[in-house]
């Protein structure tokens, strides 16, 4: 397994180009199964989860290939409905194949995703919605076995604005018979990207980006090429890196219009942010950082995927602040590792109380999940001495060549093999 070695104290300066959104690319790649002809998707980041998704598409019988950041997928007419456990357990988002497979084949057999480090993460809302659309769903020996004739449009009110649940039901509805409405739907930008792609392919979706999405089923979709939106969480992560190292970074191809709450919260922490164009952010840090109170919320609230990164910022900011994690039940594992570096954090249920300290001191730490890994990299950039981050396969799932991007702007960071 790989690990990262970081020597703290180096100021970042230069330009970083933000890659395509992981959480935008995954559903759109799986949605391409709704279209028999070849689809070309650009701006696809080179990530472990993307490789896993391409392997999954091939297992379903699609032809999938990539050249640089372009991926072509040809779903064809002979899809296979099964997603095996060995693949699904490495990437929960595999469950997003339910909607497309049921739409195209009337059958899907997908391993139950199981929990993951940050929480139990059930898919009950996905399944209940599909049942409302006429699917029969059996759960047996760790598999979800769904069958249907043609899915029927339905009025579905979600108990919680689940991102994956909204995406799965959106993909199930586009080829269903009749009208579907999704109330209390998730409003994340990545869902808007998915809907825009599907509409370009001939779907009839409206209201995406609001809590009420309407879909009129059509008989089939046609191929259309599409470029995935940039990754707002990657952009937020590098803003934090610039602020922590009192650097001067320009982040090119940032999805500024979808980062309002991220930028607002980072600004209130004292981050010097300048928007220098519709997709360009400059962070030239000179102000001191202050702890604030943060609560994670569904979009357009502050995203849970930026919670760990903000915790690192607060570890070395002045004062103290409270972080409330309302989306996942176990998403503070980075706190224990940050404490190994000298952070002063008290955990109580869904709340983390952070008291800023003067400095962090490098030590070996363990990555536990994707965004926790990012928060440890951020801490390593400023910790005195050397920080060693183990199990960085978590990081590789969601950040494209992070140590390369950071080295190019002055970080002292390298990847080595764990003994
Ligand atoms: C998506 O996960 C993202 N993943 C997550 O990003 C992100 O943190 C999350 O949305 C919230 O924004 C992808 O897009 C691939 P949810 P998802 O369904 O769809 C509960 C990252 O770091 N829930 O909105 O799984 C669930 O347990 C990853 O990039 C149910 O109870 O999130 C969780 O507590 C991590 N039943 C909450 O809702 C359901 O049927 C939010 O889950 C579905 C969800």
């Amino acid at each position: 397994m790989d690990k990262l070695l970081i020597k703290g104290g180096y100021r970042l300066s230069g330009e970083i180009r933000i890659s395509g959104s992981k959480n935008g690319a995954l559903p759109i790649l799986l949605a391409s199964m709704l279209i028999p002809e070849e689809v070309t998707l650009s701006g696809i980041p080179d990530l472990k989860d993307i490789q896993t998704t391409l392997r999954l598409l091939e297992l379903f019988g699609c032809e999938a290939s990539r050249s640089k950041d372009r991926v072509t997928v040809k779903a064809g007419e002979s899809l296979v409905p099964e997603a095996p456990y060995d693949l699904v357990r490495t990437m929960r988002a595999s469950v997003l194949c339910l909607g497309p497979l049921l739409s195209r084949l009337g059958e899907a057999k997908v391993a139950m995703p199981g929990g993951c480090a940050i929480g139990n993460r059930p898919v009950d809302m996905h399944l209940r919605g599909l049942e409302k659309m006429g699917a029969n769903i059996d759960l047996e020996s760790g598999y979800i076995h769904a069958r249907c004739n043609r899915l029927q449009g339905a009025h579905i009110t979600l108990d919680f604005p689940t991102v994956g649940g909204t995406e799965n039901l959106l993909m199930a509805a586009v080829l269903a018979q009749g009208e579907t409405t999704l109330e209390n739907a998730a409003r994340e930008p990545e869902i808007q990207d998915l809907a825009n792609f599907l509409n370009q392919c001939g779907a009839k979706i409206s209201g995406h980006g609001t809590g009420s999405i309407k879909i009129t089923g059509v008989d089939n979709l046609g191929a259309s090429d599409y470029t995935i939106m940039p990754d707002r969480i990657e952009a937020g992560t590098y803003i934090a890196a610039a602020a922590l190292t009192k650097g001067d970074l320009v982040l090119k191809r940032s999805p500024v219009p979808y980062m309002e709450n991220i930028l607002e919260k980072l600004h209130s922490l004292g981050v010097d942010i300048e928007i220098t164009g519709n997709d360009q952010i400059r962070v030239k840090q000179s102000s001191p950082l202050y702890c604030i109170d943060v609560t994670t919320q569904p979009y357009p609230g502050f995203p849970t995927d930026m919670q760990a990164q903000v915790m690192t910022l607060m570890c070395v900011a002045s004062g103290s602040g409270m972080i409330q994690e309302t989306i996942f039940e176990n998403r503070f594992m980075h706190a224990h590792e940050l404490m190994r570096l000298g952070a002063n954090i008290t955990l109580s249920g869904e709340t983390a109380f952070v008291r800023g300290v003067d400095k962090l001191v490098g030590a070996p730490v363990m990555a536990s999940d994707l965004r926790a890994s990012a928060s440890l990299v951020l801490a390593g950039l400023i910790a005195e001495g050397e920080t060693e981050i183990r199990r960085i396969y978590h990081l590789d799932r969601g950040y494209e060549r992070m140590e390369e991007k950071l080295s190019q702007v002055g970080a002292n960071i390298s990847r080595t093999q764990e003994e």
Side-chain angles (χ1 to χ4, degrees):
M1 282 191 274
D2 290 357
K3 63 185 177 184
L4 285 180
L5 292 179
I6 308 174
K7 282 199 175 53
Y10 290 75
R11 184 175 174 276
L12 303 187
S13 165
E15 283 187 2
I16 288 180
R17 187 176 189 280
I18 300 303
S19 302
S21 165
K22 166 181 86 80
N23 293 347
L26 295 181
I28 289 178
L29 281 166
L30 291 167
S32 61
M33 287 198 286
L34 292 162
I35 299 115
E37 293 80 29
E38 182 173 284
V39 169
T40 298
L41 301 167
S42 303
I44 301 283
D46 182 11
L47 301 170
K48 187 91 184 59
D49 277 6
I50 299 294
Q51 290 159 24
T52 304
T53 305
L54 296 181
R55 273 215 332 274
L56 198 58
L57 287 172
E58 287 171 342
L59 269 179
F60 291 136
C62 304
E63 290 166 32
S65 62
R66 103 171 280 152
S67 150
K68 295 204 180 73
D69 78 339
R70 291 164 73 95
V71 166
T72 56
V73 180
K74 184 171 176 7
E77 300 294 346
S78 47
L79 290 173
V80 174
E82 183 156 348
Y85 175 64
D86 278 351
L87 230 158
V88 173
R89 71 183 173 79
T90 65
M91 188 184 71
R92 307 177 35 71
S94 312
V95 77
L96 295 177
C97 70
L98 278 171
L101 288 176
L102 276 175
S103 294
R104 287 290 313 279
L105 300 177
E107 184 181 8
K109 194 174 172 200
V110 183
M112 287 290 281
C116 77
I118 62 177
N120 172 28
R121 300 181 74 180
V123 289
D124 53 308
M125 289 186 265
H126 301 231
L127 303 182
R128 270 206 305 276
L130 291 170
E131 283 175 330
K132 276 203 162 179
M133 297 177 75
N136 293 311
I137 293 180
D138 297 315
L139 305 182
E140 60 198 44
S141 50
Y143 274 80
I144 301 165
H145 204 164
R147 297 179 188 81
C148 66
N149 296 321
R150 186 177 180 184
L151 289 169
Q152 299 300 310
H155 179 82
I156 299 166
T157 300
L158 293 166
D159 294 345
F160 177 86
T162 152
V163 173
T166 303
E167 291 166 343
N168 232 337
L169 296 172
L170 184 61
M171 292 189 282
V174 290
L175 293 177
Q177 178 107 39
E179 298 274 333
T180 297
T181 52
L182 298 180
E183 297 299 345
N184 197 24
R187 300 161 54 182
E188 270 70 4
E190 293 75 25
I191 289 172
Q192 300 172 51
D193 221 24
L194 172 62
N196 293 336
F197 165 64
L198 290 169
N199 278 343
Q200 256 186 222
C201 296
K204 291 194 174 115
I205 304 166
S206 60
H208 39 294
T210 75
S212 175
I213 303 178
K214 287 185 178 29
I215 306 108
T216 303
V218 294
D219 293 335
N220 47 54
L221 296 175
S224 172
D225 297 348
Y226 194 75
T227 298
I228 308 292
M229 70 180 293
D231 195 313
R232 58 195 169 103
I233 305 301
E234 184 194 20
T237 305
Y238 287 121
I239 290 173
L244 283 163
T245 61
K246 299 210 176 328
D248 182 358
L249 275 189
V250 172
L251 303 179
K252 299 178 87 70
R253 202 170 168 263
S254 300
V256 172
Y258 298 108
M259 294 181 68
E260 208 170 312
N261 198 308
I262 294 175
L263 298 175
E264 189 266 325
K265 280 290 178 298
L266 292 174
H267 177 69
S268 8
L269 265 159
V271 180
D272 296 322
I273 294 168
E274 188 191 345
I275 307 300
T276 54
N278 189 35
D279 66 351
Q280 196 162 298
I281 295 171
R282 182 178 185 184
V283 180
K284 193 168 187 311
Q285 190 64 29
S286 58
S287 314
L289 297 176
Y290 300 96
C291 286
I292 59 170
D293 292 345
V294 173
T295 301
T296 62
Q297 295 288 354
Y299 191 87
F302 186 76
T304 173
D305 292 349
M306 275 298 296
Q307 179 256 105
Q309 299 90 314
V310 159
M311 188 180 283
T312 300
L313 280 165
M314 285 171 53
C315 285
V316 290
S318 53
S320 55
M322 236 166 33
I323 297 177
Q324 271 192 297
E325 172 54 65
T326 69
I327 308 293
F328 291 106
E329 66 267 28
N330 187 31
R331 202 171 196 178
F332 282 145
M333 280 169 296
H334 42 285
H336 307 289
E337 301 303 308
L338 291 169
M339 290 181 222
R340 284 180 47 76
L341 303 176
N344 184 338
I345 303 167
T346 307
L347 297 178
S348 164
E350 67 172 29
T351 303
F353 189 72
V354 183
R355 293 181 181 83
V357 294
D358 293 338
K359 67 175 180 177
L360 298 178
V361 179
V365 289
M366 191 84 76
S368 52
D369 58 85
L370 169 55
R371 306 303 172 181
S373 328
S375 76
L376 297 177
V377 172
L378 293 174
L381 293 175
I382 51 161
E384 213 170 67
E386 183 172 86
T387 299
E388 181 187 283
I389 305 175
R390 297 178 179 157
R391 296 190 184 169
I392 55 155
Y393 57 85
H394 291 291
L395 190 77
D396 297 335
R397 295 190 51 179
Y399 287 91
E400 190 174 47
R401 300 191 309 280
M402 188 178 219
E403 73 270 18
E404 203 179 296
K405 291 188 177 184
L406 286 172
S407 307
Q408 281 165 1
V409 291
N412 185 329
I413 180 171
S414 58
R415 180 185 289 250
T416 61
Q417 292 285 325
E418 270 191 56
E419 293 86 54

